[in-house]
Amino acid sequence: QNEKELQNVVKRQEEKMLQLIDKSGEVTRLKGEVSQLKRSLQRAETEAKVLWEEMRGQEPKMDAAYVQERVLLRQEVDKLRLLLLEKEDENLLLSDKY
């Protein structure tokens, strides 16, 4: 009887572990979504920033290609900043792990 109870306890613990693993996977997926949404928001903010700067100080005739190039350059800078932050976070996690 004790053995049977022990098997039941082990079985419940295994089920709980599987549930935690499932939740962990979902958290990882949600973190990925949040990261993607942050990048999209950052891209939109970058475009708005560049357009605002150009509209604020420009003559009535504005070269669309110039503005587009500025947006792309700003996006690239923001993307590089984000990559740097991600690498710093990874390094922190690795140093904490070890």
Side-chain angles (χ1 to χ4, degrees), residues 15-31:
E15 289 172 357
K16 286 180 182 179
M17 286 177 55
L18 289 174
Q19 288 174 349
L20 288 174
I21 290 170
D22 287 346
K23 287 179 182 178
S24 173
E26 186 175 347
V27 166
T28 302
R29 184 184 61 77
L30 289 173
K31 283 182 179 180

Side-chain angles (χ1 to χ4, degrees), residues 27-72:
V27 166
T28 302
R29 184 184 61 77
L30 289 173
K31 283 182 179 180
E33 283 184 35
V34 166
S35 177
Q36 188 176 9
L37 288 171
K38 283 181 180 179
R39 277 188 231 115
S40 295
L41 176 61
Q42 188 177 23
R43 196 174 302 122
E45 287 173 344
T46 299
E47 289 179 19
K49 224 184 294 183
V50 170
L51 289 172
W52 179 253
E53 288 173 2
E54 291 304 314
M55 293 299 291
R56 194 174 48 193
Q58 274 293 337
E59 305 168 5
K61 294 179 181 178
M62 189 179 356
D63 183 17
Y66 173 74
V67 172
Q68 182 65 28
E69 184 179 347
R70 288 274 321 264
V71 168
L72 293 174

